[in-house]
Amino acid sequence: MEFLHVEGFRKQFAGTEVLKGIDFDLPKGKILAIIGPSGGGKTTLLRCLNFLETPDEGKVFLDGELLSDAKVSYSQRERREKQLKFGLVFQNFELFPHLTAIKNILLAPDLLARDRVKEQFKERRQSVKGFSARKALKKEEKRSFKELTAENKRHAEELLRQVGLSEKRDSYPSQLSGGQQQRVAIARALALSPEVLCFDEPTSALDPELTGEVLKVIRALKGRTLIIVTHEMAFAREVADYVLFMTDGVIEERGTPDEVFLHPQKEKTKAFLKHMEEYHDE
Amino acid sequence: MNSFWNVTLALLEGFGSTCLIFAATLVFAIPLGLLVTFGSMSRFRPLKWLMRTIVWVVRGTPLMLQLIAIFYGPALLFGIDGFDRVPAVIVAFVINYACYFSEIYRAGIEGVPRGQAEAGQTLGLKKSQVFFHITLIQLIKRIVPPMSNEIITLVKDTSLARIISVTEIILVAQEYTRQGLIWPLFYTGVFYLLFVGVLTLLFRHTEKKLEYIKI
Ligand SMILES: Nc1ncnc2c1ncn2[C@@H]1O[C@H](COP(=O)(O)OP(=O)(O)OP(=O)(O)O)[C@@H](O)[C@H]1O
Ligand SMILES: [Mg+2]
């Protein structure tokens, strides 16, 4: 079993089966590209992995351990812990319009830090007696929260630098180009250090001249475990270690980029690749 | 002596009741409206339909009728003592306005893109954190204009309280009219205009403050 192991994902929407039993593996630090025609279930698959959708059936194993099972219902807290193993970059960025670039990145880590510190001190607070001791504990709690947020901030600034947007630190999303917004969204997802980061057509909402800067940022993430749904065939070929061709809710073909792009076995794959080529030539 | 000064003082006193009804309605109806919204958006069907029916009835009948029903209803139906006059007015207004507000909130919540809540969720935020840190401020931005409208209407609706003999400003002025003095009635308009003027400035200020959010 590889680092990420997905087993038997099925999902229906109002009687139509959108995922018809999806199985795949992805080793740690490798990049998986998922390609396929519209409506094939690619987005649904990513949404299931990220707990935005509950599959009707299926299991996810991470690092050899069962992470989630569709048959089990998890509490909000368990779900939150599991959710943090995955990250998702959306097609439409979904930045928070009322927060600056840096605050978009910091919102979740800071809230998480607050919850974790609270949890940590909860037990100790119950056992401590006396006014001054309680006060000292409160001070300590405040200090450890402050330390964590300072660390978060350093990390966020580092991430902004990584995506080349240090100077846009205090800009609102509306003041950024689409490409810049998507780079902030990538930094935001990275801030929580997910084990697996998923991208759902990260450049398809962008003007062609802006896709390059986003692809460059993703390229630089090599070494992390990534799942990228994309219509950019050249990009998929270049960065991916493995490729899945998905259509009608099944994985029709899989392999290395060379296998899938140069020597496709299935008719559907050939037809799709030919279609994409023609589309590209237009 | 019905000097200008005396009339002004008398009207001011009536205007005090007007302001009291106005303030109490806002203080209670703004949060209550949010509860009604959550109820009417609930996935629990019976609650949803109950709330939607209440909203339908309240918005579908005149406020004047609701005032009368709440003030006289308990005595007529069950033979018990109901509310005093002022509390009856406040209860009726709070229920009425909470229903109107709830529909404004609902439109506001539905207007915040679902994708943002999902983005928050994938970042490990709890539902309450998504609401308070992502949805709420955008919701406020969206509802300020329609809420301003409702709140300005409320200023003038307070004059309905005179139906059950609460001495708000119009009722005071009508007292003078009965004595043959007509100008105090028109003079009340000045009070309303000044009040609404201040509110308008306040709303405009709020809108300016939220201008940085582009949605
Ligand atoms: N919430 C939903 N309710 C009902 N049907 C849905 C829902 N989400 C997706 N579907 C359907 O599931 C099918 C697969 O959708 P999905 O978005 O996963 O495809 P996709 O491969 O991502 O397509 P695209 O390349 O266009 O993004 C589609 O037929 C879609 O209409
Ligand atoms: Mg899709």
mmCIF file with all atom_site columns, all heavy atoms in Angstrom, chain A residues 47 79-80 83 94 96-98 115 172 174 192, chain B residues 116 118 121 124 126 129 133 137-138 212 214:
data_model
loop_
_atom_site.group_PDB
_atom_site.id
_atom_site.type_symbol
_atom_site.label_atom_id
_atom_site.label_alt_id
_atom_site.label_comp_id
_atom_site.label_asym_id
_atom_site.label_entity_id
_atom_site.label_seq_id
_atom_site.pdbx_PDB_ins_code
_atom_site.Cartn_x
_atom_site.Cartn_y
_atom_site.Cartn_z
_atom_site.occupancy
_atom_site.B_iso_or_equiv
_atom_site.pdbx_formal_charge
_atom_site.auth_seq_id
_atom_site.auth_comp_id
_atom_site.auth_asym_id
_atom_site.auth_atom_id
_atom_site.pdbx_PDB_model_num
ATOM 1   N N   . ARG A 1 47  ? -13.440 16.535 -4.249 1.00 0.00 ? 47  ARG A N   1
ATOM 2   C CA  . ARG A 1 47  ? -14.325 16.976 -3.162 1.00 0.00 ? 47  ARG A CA  1
ATOM 3   C C   . ARG A 1 47  ? -14.523 15.867 -2.128 1.00 0.00 ? 47  ARG A C   1
ATOM 4   O O   . ARG A 1 47  ? -14.612 16.144 -0.940 1.00 0.00 ? 47  ARG A O   1
ATOM 5   C CB  . ARG A 1 47  ? -15.670 17.445 -3.718 1.00 0.00 ? 47  ARG A CB  1
ATOM 6   C CG  . ARG A 1 47  ? -15.573 18.770 -4.495 1.00 0.00 ? 47  ARG A CG  1
ATOM 7   C CD  . ARG A 1 47  ? -16.892 19.137 -5.152 1.00 0.00 ? 47  ARG A CD  1
ATOM 8   N NE  . ARG A 1 47  ? -17.964 19.292 -4.176 1.00 0.00 ? 47  ARG A NE  1
ATOM 9   C CZ  . ARG A 1 47  ? -18.177 20.399 -3.474 1.00 0.00 ? 47  ARG A CZ  1
ATOM 10  N NH1 . ARG A 1 47  ? -17.423 21.453 -3.666 1.00 0.00 ? 47  ARG A NH1 1
ATOM 11  N NH2 . ARG A 1 47  ? -19.165 20.459 -2.610 1.00 0.00 ? 47  ARG A NH2 1
ATOM 12  N N   . ARG A 1 79  ? -13.569 15.019 11.963 1.00 0.00 ? 79  ARG A N   1
ATOM 13  C CA  . ARG A 1 79  ? -13.591 15.392 10.564 1.00 0.00 ? 79  ARG A CA  1
ATOM 14  C C   . ARG A 1 79  ? -12.596 16.504 10.293 1.00 0.00 ? 79  ARG A C   1
ATOM 15  O O   . ARG A 1 79  ? -11.877 16.503 9.307  1.00 0.00 ? 79  ARG A O   1
ATOM 16  C CB  . ARG A 1 79  ? -15.003 15.897 10.261 1.00 0.00 ? 79  ARG A CB  1
ATOM 17  C CG  . ARG A 1 79  ? -15.432 15.778 8.836  1.00 0.00 ? 79  ARG A CG  1
ATOM 18  C CD  . ARG A 1 79  ? -16.864 16.281 8.785  1.00 0.00 ? 79  ARG A CD  1
ATOM 19  N NE  . ARG A 1 79  ? -16.946 17.258 7.727  1.00 0.00 ? 79  ARG A NE  1
ATOM 20  C CZ  . ARG A 1 79  ? -17.727 17.099 6.674  1.00 0.00 ? 79  ARG A CZ  1
ATOM 21  N NH1 . ARG A 1 79  ? -18.481 16.037 6.561  1.00 0.00 ? 79  ARG A NH1 1
ATOM 22  N NH2 . ARG A 1 79  ? -17.756 18.011 5.741  1.00 0.00 ? 79  ARG A NH2 1
ATOM 23  N N   . ARG A 1 80  ? -12.540 17.447 11.238 1.00 0.00 ? 80  ARG A N   1
ATOM 24  C CA  . ARG A 1 80  ? -11.653 18.584 11.072 1.00 0.00 ? 80  ARG A CA  1
ATOM 25  C C   . ARG A 1 80  ? -10.193 18.118 11.052 1.00 0.00 ? 80  ARG A C   1
ATOM 26  O O   . ARG A 1 80  ? -9.398  18.548 10.229 1.00 0.00 ? 80  ARG A O   1
ATOM 27  C CB  . ARG A 1 80  ? -11.892 19.530 12.244 1.00 0.00 ? 80  ARG A CB  1
ATOM 28  C CG  . ARG A 1 80  ? -11.221 20.848 12.095 1.00 0.00 ? 80  ARG A CG  1
ATOM 29  C CD  . ARG A 1 80  ? -11.505 21.684 13.338 1.00 0.00 ? 80  ARG A CD  1
ATOM 30  N NE  . ARG A 1 80  ? -10.964 23.004 13.178 1.00 0.00 ? 80  ARG A NE  1
ATOM 31  C CZ  . ARG A 1 80  ? -10.735 23.820 14.192 1.00 0.00 ? 80  ARG A CZ  1
ATOM 32  N NH1 . ARG A 1 80  ? -11.009 23.447 15.424 1.00 0.00 ? 80  ARG A NH1 1
ATOM 33  N NH2 . ARG A 1 80  ? -10.247 25.014 13.980 1.00 0.00 ? 80  ARG A NH2 1
ATOM 34  N N   . GLN A 1 83  ? -9.640  16.376 7.786  1.00 0.00 ? 83  GLN A N   1
ATOM 35  C CA  . GLN A 1 83  ? -9.688  17.347 6.698  1.00 0.00 ? 83  GLN A CA  1
ATOM 36  C C   . GLN A 1 83  ? -8.339  18.035 6.513  1.00 0.00 ? 83  GLN A C   1
ATOM 37  O O   . GLN A 1 83  ? -7.929  18.346 5.404  1.00 0.00 ? 83  GLN A O   1
ATOM 38  C CB  . GLN A 1 83  ? -10.744 18.383 7.048  1.00 0.00 ? 83  GLN A CB  1
ATOM 39  C CG  . GLN A 1 83  ? -11.189 19.240 5.900  1.00 0.00 ? 83  GLN A CG  1
ATOM 40  C CD  . GLN A 1 83  ? -12.674 19.495 5.975  1.00 0.00 ? 83  GLN A CD  1
ATOM 41  O OE1 . GLN A 1 83  ? -13.253 19.599 7.056  1.00 0.00 ? 83  GLN A OE1 1
ATOM 42  N NE2 . GLN A 1 83  ? -13.323 19.573 4.850  1.00 0.00 ? 83  GLN A NE2 1
ATOM 43  N N   . GLU A 1 94  ? -11.515 31.245 -4.635 1.00 0.00 ? 94  GLU A N   1
ATOM 44  C CA  . GLU A 1 94  ? -12.282 31.317 -3.379 1.00 0.00 ? 94  GLU A CA  1
ATOM 45  C C   . GLU A 1 94  ? -11.510 31.995 -2.262 1.00 0.00 ? 94  GLU A C   1
ATOM 46  O O   . GLU A 1 94  ? -11.541 31.558 -1.110 1.00 0.00 ? 94  GLU A O   1
ATOM 47  C CB  . GLU A 1 94  ? -12.744 29.924 -2.919 1.00 0.00 ? 94  GLU A CB  1
ATOM 48  C CG  . GLU A 1 94  ? -13.507 29.130 -3.955 1.00 0.00 ? 94  GLU A CG  1
ATOM 49  C CD  . GLU A 1 94  ? -14.845 29.740 -4.351 1.00 0.00 ? 94  GLU A CD  1
ATOM 50  O OE1 . GLU A 1 94  ? -15.215 30.811 -3.809 1.00 0.00 ? 94  GLU A OE1 1
ATOM 51  O OE2 . GLU A 1 94  ? -15.522 29.158 -5.215 1.00 0.00 ? 94  GLU A OE2 1
ATOM 52  N N   . PHE A 1 96  ? -10.978 34.981 0.469  1.00 0.00 ? 96  PHE A N   1
ATOM 53  C CA  . PHE A 1 96  ? -11.949 35.708 1.276  1.00 0.00 ? 96  PHE A CA  1
ATOM 54  C C   . PHE A 1 96  ? -11.812 37.197 0.944  1.00 0.00 ? 96  PHE A C   1
ATOM 55  O O   . PHE A 1 96  ? -10.752 37.779 1.195  1.00 0.00 ? 96  PHE A O   1
ATOM 56  C CB  . PHE A 1 96  ? -11.715 35.438 2.757  1.00 0.00 ? 96  PHE A CB  1
ATOM 57  C CG  . PHE A 1 96  ? -11.632 33.967 3.071  1.00 0.00 ? 96  PHE A CG  1
ATOM 58  C CD1 . PHE A 1 96  ? -10.579 33.443 3.804  1.00 0.00 ? 96  PHE A CD1 1
ATOM 59  C CD2 . PHE A 1 96  ? -12.612 33.094 2.600  1.00 0.00 ? 96  PHE A CD2 1
ATOM 60  C CE1 . PHE A 1 96  ? -10.497 32.081 4.080  1.00 0.00 ? 96  PHE A CE1 1
ATOM 61  C CE2 . PHE A 1 96  ? -12.541 31.732 2.868  1.00 0.00 ? 96  PHE A CE2 1
ATOM 62  C CZ  . PHE A 1 96  ? -11.477 31.222 3.604  1.00 0.00 ? 96  PHE A CZ  1
ATOM 63  N N   . PRO A 1 97  ? -12.853 37.816 0.384  1.00 0.00 ? 97  PRO A N   1
ATOM 64  C CA  . PRO A 1 97  ? -12.707 39.170 -0.163 1.00 0.00 ? 97  PRO A CA  1
ATOM 65  C C   . PRO A 1 97  ? -12.469 40.244 0.894  1.00 0.00 ? 97  PRO A C   1
ATOM 66  O O   . PRO A 1 97  ? -11.982 41.325 0.574  1.00 0.00 ? 97  PRO A O   1
ATOM 67  C CB  . PRO A 1 97  ? -14.036 39.413 -0.887 1.00 0.00 ? 97  PRO A CB  1
ATOM 68  C CG  . PRO A 1 97  ? -14.992 38.468 -0.264 1.00 0.00 ? 97  PRO A CG  1
ATOM 69  C CD  . PRO A 1 97  ? -14.202 37.279 0.164  1.00 0.00 ? 97  PRO A CD  1
ATOM 70  N N   . HIS A 1 98  ? -12.792 39.939 2.144  1.00 0.00 ? 98  HIS A N   1
ATOM 71  C CA  . HIS A 1 98  ? -12.661 40.959 3.188  1.00 0.00 ? 98  HIS A CA  1
ATOM 72  C C   . HIS A 1 98  ? -11.307 40.900 3.876  1.00 0.00 ? 98  HIS A C   1
ATOM 73  O O   . HIS A 1 98  ? -11.066 41.643 4.817  1.00 0.00 ? 98  HIS A O   1
ATOM 74  C CB  . HIS A 1 98  ? -13.785 40.805 4.212  1.00 0.00 ? 98  HIS A CB  1
ATOM 75  C CG  . HIS A 1 98  ? -13.785 39.457 4.878  1.00 0.00 ? 98  HIS A CG  1
ATOM 76  N ND1 . HIS A 1 98  ? -14.035 38.289 4.183  1.00 0.00 ? 98  HIS A ND1 1
ATOM 77  C CD2 . HIS A 1 98  ? -13.564 39.098 6.156  1.00 0.00 ? 98  HIS A CD2 1
ATOM 78  C CE1 . HIS A 1 98  ? -13.979 37.281 5.019  1.00 0.00 ? 98  HIS A CE1 1
ATOM 79  N NE2 . HIS A 1 98  ? -13.692 37.731 6.227  1.00 0.00 ? 98  HIS A NE2 1
ATOM 80  N N   . ASP A 1 115 ? -7.528  27.309 19.011 1.00 0.00 ? 115 ASP A N   1
ATOM 81  C CA  . ASP A 1 115 ? -8.236  26.125 19.506 1.00 0.00 ? 115 ASP A CA  1
ATOM 82  C C   . ASP A 1 115 ? -7.286  25.152 20.182 1.00 0.00 ? 115 ASP A C   1
ATOM 83  O O   . ASP A 1 115 ? -7.620  24.549 21.204 1.00 0.00 ? 115 ASP A O   1
ATOM 84  C CB  . ASP A 1 115 ? -8.958  25.417 18.359 1.00 0.00 ? 115 ASP A CB  1
ATOM 85  C CG  . ASP A 1 115 ? -10.154 26.226 17.883 1.00 0.00 ? 115 ASP A CG  1
ATOM 86  O OD1 . ASP A 1 115 ? -10.489 27.221 18.562 1.00 0.00 ? 115 ASP A OD1 1
ATOM 87  O OD2 . ASP A 1 115 ? -10.748 25.885 16.847 1.00 0.00 ? 115 ASP A OD2 1
ATOM 88  N N   . TYR A 1 172 ? -5.935  43.518 -1.023 1.00 0.00 ? 172 TYR A N   1
ATOM 89  C CA  . TYR A 1 172 ? -7.161  42.717 -0.987 1.00 0.00 ? 172 TYR A CA  1
ATOM 90  C C   . TYR A 1 172 ? -7.269  41.924 -2.291 1.00 0.00 ? 172 TYR A C   1
ATOM 91  O O   . TYR A 1 172 ? -6.718  42.346 -3.316 1.00 0.00 ? 172 TYR A O   1
ATOM 92  C CB  . TYR A 1 172 ? -8.372  43.629 -0.808 1.00 0.00 ? 172 TYR A CB  1
ATOM 93  C CG  . TYR A 1 172 ? -8.485  44.165 0.588  1.00 0.00 ? 172 TYR A CG  1
ATOM 94  C CD1 . TYR A 1 172 ? -7.986  45.416 0.916  1.00 0.00 ? 172 TYR A CD1 1
ATOM 95  C CD2 . TYR A 1 172 ? -9.063  43.381 1.584  1.00 0.00 ? 172 TYR A CD2 1
ATOM 96  C CE1 . TYR A 1 172 ? -8.068  45.902 2.219  1.00 0.00 ? 172 TYR A CE1 1
ATOM 97  C CE2 . TYR A 1 172 ? -9.147  43.856 2.879  1.00 0.00 ? 172 TYR A CE2 1
ATOM 98  C CZ  . TYR A 1 172 ? -8.652  45.116 3.196  1.00 0.00 ? 172 TYR A CZ  1
ATOM 99  O OH  . TYR A 1 172 ? -8.735  45.573 4.477  1.00 0.00 ? 172 TYR A OH  1
ATOM 100 N N   . SER A 1 174 ? -9.468  41.784 -4.460 1.00 0.00 ? 174 SER A N   1
ATOM 101 C CA  . SER A 1 174 ? -9.961  42.572 -5.594 1.00 0.00 ? 174 SER A CA  1
ATOM 102 C C   . SER A 1 174 ? -8.863  43.416 -6.226 1.00 0.00 ? 174 SER A C   1
ATOM 103 O O   . SER A 1 174 ? -9.019  43.915 -7.330 1.00 0.00 ? 174 SER A O   1
ATOM 104 C CB  . SER A 1 174 ? -11.107 43.473 -5.133 1.00 0.00 ? 174 SER A CB  1
ATOM 105 O OG  . SER A 1 174 ? -10.640 44.354 -4.136 1.00 0.00 ? 174 SER A OG  1
ATOM 106 N N   . LEU A 1 192 ? -1.232  25.284 5.962  1.00 0.00 ? 192 LEU A N   1
ATOM 107 C CA  . LEU A 1 192 ? -1.619  24.260 6.922  1.00 0.00 ? 192 LEU A CA  1
ATOM 108 C C   . LEU A 1 192 ? -0.826  22.973 6.730  1.00 0.00 ? 192 LEU A C   1
ATOM 109 O O   . LEU A 1 192 ? -1.124  21.959 7.355  1.00 0.00 ? 192 LEU A O   1
ATOM 110 C CB  . LEU A 1 192 ? -3.119  23.981 6.794  1.00 0.00 ? 192 LEU A CB  1
ATOM 111 C CG  . LEU A 1 192 ? -3.971  25.173 7.248  1.00 0.00 ? 192 LEU A CG  1
ATOM 112 C CD1 . LEU A 1 192 ? -5.341  25.127 6.614  1.00 0.00 ? 192 LEU A CD1 1
ATOM 113 C CD2 . LEU A 1 192 ? -4.083  25.191 8.749  1.00 0.00 ? 192 LEU A CD2 1
ATOM 114 N N   . GLN B 2 116 ? -16.744 29.912 -0.773 1.00 0.00 ? 116 GLN B N   1
ATOM 115 C CA  . GLN B 2 116 ? -15.925 30.472 0.304  1.00 0.00 ? 116 GLN B CA  1
ATOM 116 C C   . GLN B 2 116 ? -16.090 29.684 1.592  1.00 0.00 ? 116 GLN B C   1
ATOM 117 O O   . GLN B 2 116 ? -15.124 29.454 2.317  1.00 0.00 ? 116 GLN B O   1
ATOM 118 C CB  . GLN B 2 116 ? -16.306 31.916 0.552  1.00 0.00 ? 116 GLN B CB  1
ATOM 119 C CG  . GLN B 2 116 ? -15.673 32.848 -0.445 1.00 0.00 ? 116 GLN B CG  1
ATOM 120 C CD  . GLN B 2 116 ? -16.040 34.268 -0.146 1.00 0.00 ? 116 GLN B CD  1
ATOM 121 O OE1 . GLN B 2 116 ? -16.073 34.671 1.003  1.00 0.00 ? 116 GLN B OE1 1
ATOM 122 N NE2 . GLN B 2 116 ? -16.342 35.010 -1.179 1.00 0.00 ? 116 GLN B NE2 1
ATOM 123 N N   . GLU B 2 118 ? -16.848 26.605 1.682  1.00 0.00 ? 118 GLU B N   1
ATOM 124 C CA  . GLU B 2 118 ? -16.153 25.336 1.438  1.00 0.00 ? 118 GLU B CA  1
ATOM 125 C C   . GLU B 2 118 ? -14.646 25.511 1.575  1.00 0.00 ? 118 GLU B C   1
ATOM 126 O O   . GLU B 2 118 ? -13.966 24.640 2.117  1.00 0.00 ? 118 GLU B O   1
ATOM 127 C CB  . GLU B 2 118 ? -16.507 24.805 0.057  1.00 0.00 ? 118 GLU B CB  1
ATOM 128 C CG  . GLU B 2 118 ? -17.955 24.357 -0.015 1.00 0.00 ? 118 GLU B CG  1
ATOM 129 C CD  . GLU B 2 118 ? -18.295 23.685 -1.321 1.00 0.00 ? 118 GLU B CD  1
ATOM 130 O OE1 . GLU B 2 118 ? -17.592 23.919 -2.324 1.00 0.00 ? 118 GLU B OE1 1
ATOM 131 O OE2 . GLU B 2 118 ? -19.281 22.920 -1.329 1.00 0.00 ? 118 GLU B OE2 1
ATOM 132 N N   . GLN B 2 121 ? -13.937 25.448 5.066  1.00 0.00 ? 121 GLN B N   1
ATOM 133 C CA  . GLN B 2 121 ? -14.069 24.087 5.589  1.00 0.00 ? 121 GLN B CA  1
ATOM 134 C C   . GLN B 2 121 ? -12.824 23.255 5.274  1.00 0.00 ? 121 GLN B C   1
ATOM 135 O O   . GLN B 2 121 ? -12.315 22.540 6.136  1.00 0.00 ? 121 GLN B O   1
ATOM 136 C CB  . GLN B 2 121 ? -15.302 23.452 4.952  1.00 0.00 ? 121 GLN B CB  1
ATOM 137 C CG  . GLN B 2 121 ? -15.955 22.384 5.782  1.00 0.00 ? 121 GLN B CG  1
ATOM 138 C CD  . GLN B 2 121 ? -17.110 21.768 5.024  1.00 0.00 ? 121 GLN B CD  1
ATOM 139 O OE1 . GLN B 2 121 ? -17.851 22.468 4.320  1.00 0.00 ? 121 GLN B OE1 1
ATOM 140 N NE2 . GLN B 2 121 ? -17.264 20.473 5.134  1.00 0.00 ? 121 GLN B NE2 1
ATOM 141 N N   . GLY B 2 124 ? -10.056 23.625 7.528  1.00 0.00 ? 124 GLY B N   1
ATOM 142 C CA  . GLY B 2 124 ? -10.226 23.111 8.875  1.00 0.00 ? 124 GLY B CA  1
ATOM 143 C C   . GLY B 2 124 ? -11.004 24.016 9.813  1.00 0.00 ? 124 GLY B C   1
ATOM 144 O O   . GLY B 2 124 ? -10.955 23.836 11.025 1.00 0.00 ? 124 GLY B O   1
ATOM 145 N N   . LYS B 2 126 ? -14.235 25.410 11.800 1.00 0.00 ? 126 LYS B N   1
ATOM 146 C CA  . LYS B 2 126 ? -15.489 24.864 12.280 1.00 0.00 ? 126 LYS B CA  1
ATOM 147 C C   . LYS B 2 126 ? -16.618 25.670 11.652 1.00 0.00 ? 126 LYS B C   1
ATOM 148 O O   . LYS B 2 126 ? -16.410 26.802 11.209 1.00 0.00 ? 126 LYS B O   1
ATOM 149 C CB  . LYS B 2 126 ? -15.569 24.972 13.807 1.00 0.00 ? 126 LYS B CB  1
ATOM 150 C CG  . LYS B 2 126 ? -14.566 24.087 14.511 1.00 0.00 ? 126 LYS B CG  1
ATOM 151 C CD  . LYS B 2 126 ? -14.803 24.091 16.005 1.00 0.00 ? 126 LYS B CD  1
ATOM 152 C CE  . LYS B 2 126 ? -13.942 25.127 16.675 1.00 0.00 ? 126 LYS B CE  1
ATOM 153 N NZ  . LYS B 2 126 ? -13.955 25.092 18.126 1.00 0.00 ? 126 LYS B NZ  1
ATOM 154 N N   . GLN B 2 129 ? -16.921 29.034 13.015 1.00 0.00 ? 129 GLN B N   1
ATOM 155 C CA  . GLN B 2 129 ? -15.824 29.910 12.586 1.00 0.00 ? 129 GLN B CA  1
ATOM 156 C C   . GLN B 2 129 ? -16.044 30.392 11.162 1.00 0.00 ? 129 GLN B C   1
ATOM 157 O O   . GLN B 2 129 ? -15.763 31.551 10.844 1.00 0.00 ? 129 GLN B O   1
ATOM 158 C CB  . GLN B 2 129 ? -14.489 29.173 12.696 1.00 0.00 ? 129 GLN B CB  1
ATOM 159 C CG  . GLN B 2 129 ? -14.100 28.900 14.142 1.00 0.00 ? 129 GLN B CG  1
ATOM 160 C CD  . GLN B 2 129 ? -12.865 28.030 14.258 1.00 0.00 ? 129 GLN B CD  1
ATOM 161 O OE1 . GLN B 2 129 ? -12.582 27.201 13.386 1.00 0.00 ? 129 GLN B OE1 1
ATOM 162 N NE2 . GLN B 2 129 ? -12.125 28.190 15.339 1.00 0.00 ? 129 GLN B NE2 1
ATOM 163 N N   . HIS B 2 133 ? -16.181 34.310 10.856 1.00 0.00 ? 133 HIS B N   1
ATOM 164 C CA  . HIS B 2 133 ? -14.979 34.911 10.276 1.00 0.00 ? 133 HIS B CA  1
ATOM 165 C C   . HIS B 2 133 ? -15.060 35.123 8.773  1.00 0.00 ? 133 HIS B C   1
ATOM 166 O O   . HIS B 2 133 ? -14.270 35.863 8.213  1.00 0.00 ? 133 HIS B O   1
ATOM 167 C CB  . HIS B 2 133 ? -13.756 34.062 10.613 1.00 0.00 ? 133 HIS B CB  1
ATOM 168 C CG  . HIS B 2 133 ? -13.426 34.064 12.074 1.00 0.00 ? 133 HIS B CG  1
ATOM 169 N ND1 . HIS B 2 133 ? -12.633 35.031 12.643 1.00 0.00 ? 133 HIS B ND1 1
ATOM 170 C CD2 . HIS B 2 133 ? -13.834 33.259 13.080 1.00 0.00 ? 133 HIS B CD2 1
ATOM 171 C CE1 . HIS B 2 133 ? -12.552 34.794 13.942 1.00 0.00 ? 133 HIS B CE1 1
ATOM 172 N NE2 . HIS B 2 133 ? -13.267 33.728 14.233 1.00 0.00 ? 133 HIS B NE2 1
ATOM 173 N N   . ILE B 2 137 ? -19.298 39.162 7.978  1.00 0.00 ? 137 ILE B N   1
ATOM 174 C CA  . ILE B 2 137 ? -18.962 40.515 7.537  1.00 0.00 ? 137 ILE B CA  1
ATOM 175 C C   . ILE B 2 137 ? -19.477 40.779 6.115  1.00 0.00 ? 137 ILE B C   1
ATOM 176 O O   . ILE B 2 137 ? -19.966 41.869 5.803  1.00 0.00 ? 137 ILE B O   1
ATOM 177 C CB  . ILE B 2 137 ? -17.441 40.785 7.653  1.00 0.00 ? 137 ILE B CB  1
ATOM 178 C CG1 . ILE B 2 137 ? -17.106 42.228 7.276  1.00 0.00 ? 137 ILE B CG1 1
ATOM 179 C CG2 . ILE B 2 137 ? -16.640 39.863 6.801  1.00 0.00 ? 137 ILE B CG2 1
ATOM 180 C CD1 . ILE B 2 137 ? -17.347 43.202 8.376  1.00 0.00 ? 137 ILE B CD1 1
ATOM 181 N N   . GLN B 2 138 ? -19.427 39.749 5.276  1.00 0.00 ? 138 GLN B N   1
ATOM 182 C CA  . GLN B 2 138 ? -19.943 39.915 3.917  1.00 0.00 ? 138 GLN B CA  1
ATOM 183 C C   . GLN B 2 138 ? -21.459 40.013 3.930  1.00 0.00 ? 138 GLN B C   1
ATOM 184 O O   . GLN B 2 138 ? -22.061 40.737 3.136  1.00 0.00 ? 138 GLN B O   1
ATOM 185 C CB  . GLN B 2 138 ? -19.519 38.746 3.042  1.00 0.00 ? 138 GLN B CB  1
ATOM 186 C CG  . GLN B 2 138 ? -18.024 38.674 2.868  1.00 0.00 ? 138 GLN B CG  1
ATOM 187 C CD  . GLN B 2 138 ? -17.627 37.542 1.953  1.00 0.00 ? 138 GLN B CD  1
ATOM 188 O OE1 . GLN B 2 138 ? -18.021 37.504 0.800  1.00 0.00 ? 138 GLN B OE1 1
ATOM 189 N NE2 . GLN B 2 138 ? -16.849 36.616 2.465  1.00 0.00 ? 138 GLN B NE2 1
ATOM 190 N N   . TYR B 2 212 ? -14.288 48.665 1.442  1.00 0.00 ? 212 TYR B N   1
ATOM 191 C CA  . TYR B 2 212 ? -13.081 47.936 1.079  1.00 0.00 ? 212 TYR B CA  1
ATOM 192 C C   . TYR B 2 212 ? -13.358 46.499 0.674  1.00 0.00 ? 212 TYR B C   1
ATOM 193 O O   . TYR B 2 212 ? -12.552 45.854 0.018  1.00 0.00 ? 212 TYR B O   1
ATOM 194 C CB  . TYR B 2 212 ? -12.073 47.976 2.235  1.00 0.00 ? 212 TYR B CB  1
ATOM 195 C CG  . TYR B 2 212 ? -12.416 47.058 3.382  1.00 0.00 ? 212 TYR B CG  1
ATOM 196 C CD1 . TYR B 2 212 ? -11.827 45.803 3.481  1.00 0.00 ? 212 TYR B CD1 1
ATOM 197 C CD2 . TYR B 2 212 ? -13.325 47.439 4.361  1.00 0.00 ? 212 TYR B CD2 1
ATOM 198 C CE1 . TYR B 2 212 ? -12.138 44.951 4.526  1.00 0.00 ? 212 TYR B CE1 1
ATOM 199 C CE2 . TYR B 2 212 ? -13.639 46.605 5.406  1.00 0.00 ? 212 TYR B CE2 1
ATOM 200 C CZ  . TYR B 2 212 ? -13.044 45.360 5.486  1.00 0.00 ? 212 TYR B CZ  1
ATOM 201 O OH  . TYR B 2 212 ? -13.368 44.520 6.516  1.00 0.00 ? 212 TYR B OH  1
ATOM 202 N N   . LYS B 2 214 ? -14.888 44.057 -1.652 1.00 0.00 ? 214 LYS B N   1
ATOM 203 C CA  . LYS B 2 214 ? -15.483 44.039 -2.998 1.00 0.00 ? 214 LYS B CA  1
ATOM 204 C C   . LYS B 2 214 ? -16.114 42.674 -3.207 1.00 0.00 ? 214 LYS B C   1
ATOM 205 O O   . LYS B 2 214 ? -15.423 41.663 -3.202 1.00 0.00 ? 214 LYS B O   1
ATOM 206 C CB  . LYS B 2 214 ? -14.407 44.291 -4.056 1.00 0.00 ? 214 LYS B CB  1
ATOM 207 C CG  . LYS B 2 214 ? -13.711 45.634 -3.924 1.00 0.00 ? 214 LYS B CG  1
ATOM 208 C CD  . LYS B 2 214 ? -14.545 46.758 -4.532 1.00 0.00 ? 214 LYS B CD  1
ATOM 209 C CE  . LYS B 2 214 ? -13.799 48.077 -4.577 1.00 0.00 ? 214 LYS B CE  1
ATOM 210 N NZ  . LYS B 2 214 ? -13.543 48.652 -3.227 1.00 0.00 ? 214 LYS B NZ  1
#
